[in-house]
């Protein structure tokens, strides 16, 4: 998995570890070792520890009573419920951002992020640039939710990341047969991003909320695509089991 070398050591370790889990390369119950992250992603021990803490907060790994982390297990229902919860909360944040009026500097940052995302989704190899998409997508969602200017919403969203797959980070390696579908999903999601920012900028709260809730289904569409591929694909624990059950 290619990781942007311009990211900080902690970011490289976070995206790298998260990728190993969502791609199914680390299975439920596997131990997550600090030294393995150091070796795999070329980081020092402090960023490796910080990444393990972050991924633990997202719920993808669990701290054991005896010490150390192991990869968590979750079901298909867990994943899709988490996506719905995220959409509801982020929809509320988008509505509040529109109704309160996002500061000009935040709107400027949103538009800059949209332009960078346009370059990614417009690439001929958009499926191969998923990590770039994840980084920029995270940034845009943080800007939108921050524009709600609500400590209560911020706290709720902070707790939300403890639910696996509740954030837009569930990308796995894409087989050739799925590249066209993934490209369509990411380009559709980017069009939704533009409409959400437009609604916030024009102080259209109800529209912003509805668009954000619908946008949360982009992750669902992606995972659903992966679950229905005719050939085997690496998926996280739980989803892999669900896939096998559907095919028997």
């Amino acid at each position: 998995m290619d990781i942007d070398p311009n990211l900080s050591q902690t970011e490289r370790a976070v995206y790298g570890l998260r990728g190993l889990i969502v791609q199914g390369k680390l299975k439920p119950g596997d131990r997550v070792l600090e030294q393995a992250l150091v070796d795999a992603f070329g980081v020092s021990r402090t960023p490796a520890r910080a990444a393990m803490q972050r991924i633990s907060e997202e719920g993808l790994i669990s701290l054991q009573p005896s010490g150390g982390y192991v990869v968590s297990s979750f079901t298909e229902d867990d994943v899709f419920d988490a996506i719905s919860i995220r959409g509801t909360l982020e929809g509320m944040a988008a509505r509040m951002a529109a109704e309160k009026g996002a500061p000009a500097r935040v709107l400027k940052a949103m538009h800059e992020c949209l332009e960078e995302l346009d370059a990614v989704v417009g690439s001929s190899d958009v499926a191969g640039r998923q990590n770039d998409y994840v980084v920029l997508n995270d940034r845009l969602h943080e800007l939108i939710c921050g524009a709600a200017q609500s400590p209560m919403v911020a706290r709720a969203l902070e707790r939300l990341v403890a639910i696996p797959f509740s954030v837009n980070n569930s990308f796995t390696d894409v087989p050739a047969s799925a590249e066209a579908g993934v490209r369509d999903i990411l380009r559709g999601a980017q069009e939704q991003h533009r409409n959400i920012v437009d609604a916030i900028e024009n102080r259209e709260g109800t529209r912003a909320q509805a668009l954000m809730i619908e946008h949360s289904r982009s992750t669902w569409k992606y995972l659903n695509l992966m679950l229905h591929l005719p050939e085997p694909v690496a998926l996280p624990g739980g989803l892999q089991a669900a896939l096998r059950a559907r095919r028997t």
Side-chain angles (χ1 to χ4, degrees), residues 165-180:
F165 291 91
S166 63
V167 289
N168 294 304
N169 55 29
S170 47
F171 296 112
T172 184
D173 291 334
V174 179
S177 63
E179 287 182 359

Side-chain angles (χ1 to χ4, degrees), residues 111-147:
H111 282 290
E112 290 171 349
C113 195
L114 285 173
E115 290 176 5
E116 292 184 69
L117 278 163
D118 279 340
V120 172
V121 301
S123 168
S124 59
D125 184 31
V126 61
R129 297 191 63 187
Q130 287 187 104
N131 193 63
D132 294 333
Y133 180 89
V134 168
V135 173
L136 291 166
N137 184 74
D138 283 353
R139 185 188 306 164
L140 182 61
H141 279 250
E142 287 170 2
L143 287 166
I144 292 170
C145 293

